[in-house]
Amino acid sequence: LLRATRAGAPPKTCAQAGGCVEPAKAVRVSLAVGERALQESRWSAAVEAYDAALGVLREHSLGINAGAETQLYNNAGWAAMQLGRYDVALELFDLAARSCDRALAEENPDCARKVYENLHHLLHTTLHRRGDAV
């Protein structure tokens, strides 16, 4: 996603900063910051927070349930799309769709609808920007 640092950014883990924050807590806080920013249409802040959560998950090989993972990728994709970063949004929506396959197995039938609605919106937006018929 987008890497940026600024005041008020999500917490950093021990490997990222001088002070220590438990990785699982850093993920929870970053997700909460991202969700709040998303609800307030603060797209850059949302992307930054979701990127922080994904970074901690990868760095510490942590896993989250498939439904939460789908939501994370989907929300990060929506924020990236709002910033005009369509290539990043498409990649994130693809990851959300793949994660959704596991979520469906865990009986979360709503995840596919959300992911594909966002993919439809992305397609409509990019075609409209190019002047193609929608």
Side-chain angles (χ1 to χ4, degrees):
L1 285 173
L2 310 171
R3 283 283 172 197
T5 56
R6 62 174 201 194
K12 298 182 179 200
T13 63
C14 299
Q16 298 169 320
C20 289
V21 174
E22 176 189 337
K25 181 177 181 180
V27 170
R28 287 191 302 274
V29 170
S30 293
L31 291 175
V33 168
E35 183 66 25
R36 185 174 38 248
L38 195 72
Q39 295 301 319
E40 295 171 355
S41 301
R42 293 183 298 116
W43 312 122
S44 292
V47 166
E48 183 178 333
Y50 291 133
D51 193 39
L54 288 167
V56 173
L57 288 169
R58 288 184 190 117
E59 178 183 348
H60 295 278
S61 300
L62 298 175
I64 56 177
N65 72 56
E69 182 181 70
T70 299
Q71 183 177 357
L72 170 57
Y73 286 133
N74 199 40
N75 288 352
W78 180 261
M81 181 174 62
Q82 298 306 313
L83 291 171
R85 307 203 98 200
Y86 303 118
D87 55 335
V88 173
L90 181 59
E91 181 181 336
L92 289 164
F93 290 148
D94 179 59
L95 290 168
R98 292 172 192 271
S99 179
C100 190
D101 288 343
R102 290 195 324 277
L104 288 171
E106 294 174 8
E107 299 189 27
N108 183 352
D110 196 40
C111 82
R113 182 187 57 79
K114 292 176 185 176
V115 171
Y116 291 110
E117 282 176 1
N118 285 348
L119 278 168
H120 175 263
H121 188 78
L122 176 63
L123 178 63
H124 179 79
T125 300
T126 54
L127 288 176
H128 183 71
R129 274 186 58 239
R130 290 185 2 198
D132 292 341
V134 231

